[in-house]
Amino acid sequence: MAACTGTPSASRSTSRGSPIAASGWILDFAEIAAAFRPIHDALDHRYLNEVEGLENPTSERLARWIYERLRPALPGLCRVVVHETCTCGAVYEGPAQGSAGAPAA
């Protein structure tokens, strides 16, 4: 019988944009945490292949799945990295510029 484990060992998101004059920040970390909370809750201690959209949960697909759910709340999001181990993982940087669904420049 397979054990149900937690989320990947690490994930990282990268945003780009112009700093807000008053704070000097591009994005408040509290906004990132709030946007990620429902994603974390959907994945934490679940069999990933039972999560809708992750029927074949490779690191590449998981990175894209997370990106697609974070992007509406974080318009400056440009990259999601998922690490399975300290030496193994995947990067998703969104749709190629100019392709259908690509973020506007």
Side-chain angles (χ1 to χ4, degrees):
M1 177 179 225
C4 186
T5 61
T7 55
S9 59
S11 64
R12 177 178 54 207
S13 65
T14 304
S15 294
R16 76 171 57 112
S18 299
I20 299 165
S23 66
W25 302 339
I26 293 173
L27 193 59
D28 185 333
F29 285 125
E31 292 177 56
I32 298 169
F36 188 71
R37 172 59 49 201
I39 295 167
H40 174 270
D41 292 347
L43 300 174
D44 192 35
H45 290 88
R46 305 251 199 287
Y47 294 107
L48 295 183
N49 58 345
E50 293 178 0
V51 174
E52 186 175 338
L54 287 176
E55 290 77 14
N56 183 7
T58 64
S59 292
E60 295 83 0
R61 288 182 173 148
L62 181 57
R64 181 177 181 164
W65 188 91
I66 292 170
Y67 177 95
E68 289 171 348
R69 281 148 185 82
L70 276 178
R71 180 84 167 131
L74 305 174
L77 183 67
C78 60
R79 175 184 304 123
V80 169
V81 180
V82 172
H83 293 279
E84 287 185 46
T85 68
C86 62
T87 60
C88 180
V91 177
Y92 183 74
E93 295 184 337
Q97 295 297 323
S99 69

